[in-house]
Amino acid sequence: GWDGSALRASLTGGTMTVAGLRLTEKDDPLPLVTVPLFEVTGIEGDLGTRRVGFASLRSRDAHVIGWIDEQRRVNVQELFASAQNAAPVSMAEAEAPPRTPSWSVTIGSVSIENYSLALEDRQTLPPVRVKFEPVSFTARNLSNEPGAKAAVA
């Protein structure tokens, strides 16, 4: 079989823009998540050194509708649930050291602008409803490197 150990690949100066993202439940036209803009600039990656970096991640004007129902299920989890049940992971597998070095990830800046969150707790009668808007923040110098220090505002 092919193990990919001889493969060398890198990406320099990549960009990605997603516009008009809408996530809905099956057979329901009401979007639970809308993201008018999500863009990533300065994408850098190197398979050989297991490094990936992003100059900036930016998103604006998104809206999220969430709730927890009487059975303590969170609706957004259903959007990302697998069609098939995943095999359970044993404790030995969960605690095993990684077989390969982990990836290094860096992000120069993250900017979230004008988000809104509408949340509902349906475990109580009447349901408790809260709305957070506008939600905005920025973060700089994010990294999974040991000792890295980020700035959040």
Side-chain angles (χ1 to χ4, degrees), residues 36-92:
L37 175 68
F38 181 83
E39 58 187 6
V40 182
T41 62
I43 303 170
E44 308 281 333
D46 189 308
L47 185 62
T49 61
R50 301 181 65 83
R51 293 184 175 274
V52 65
F54 309 94
S56 70
L57 280 72
R58 179 175 166 257
S59 183
R60 64 173 164 73
D61 301 325
H63 182 65
V64 177
I65 298 172
W67 63 80
I68 186 167
D69 67 15
E70 298 85 1
Q71 288 78 39
R72 303 181 101 175
R73 292 180 303 218
V74 178
N75 69 313
V76 180
Q77 288 174 317
E78 300 297 322
L79 292 175
F80 303 103
S82 171
Q84 301 173 350
N85 291 332
V89 176
S90 73
M91 288 300 283

Side-chain angles (χ1 to χ4, degrees), residues 21-24 30-35 62-65 76 79-80:
L21 176 67
R22 294 169 41 106
L23 300 176
T24 63
L30 177 69
L32 297 177
V33 178
T34 59
V35 182
H63 182 65
V64 177
I65 298 172
V76 180
L79 292 175
F80 303 103

Side-chain angles (χ1 to χ4, degrees), residues 32 63-67 75 116-120 129-132:
L32 297 177
H63 182 65
V64 177
I65 298 172
W67 63 80
N75 69 313
S116 67
L117 306 167
L119 307 173
E120 185 173 306
R129 294 179 178 94
V130 294
K131 189 167 189 175
F132 302 96

Side-chain angles (χ1 to χ4, degrees), residues 70 120-129:
E70 298 85 1
E120 185 173 306
D121 185 347
R122 297 180 178 175
Q123 298 176 96
T124 64
L125 290 175
V128 175
R129 294 179 178 94

Side-chain angles (χ1 to χ4, degrees), residues 96-115:
R99 289 180 171 75
T100 57
S102 61
W103 281 79
S104 169
V105 179
T106 58
I107 304 172
S109 68
V110 175
S111 176
I112 301 296
E113 305 164 17
N114 197 39
Y115 269 46

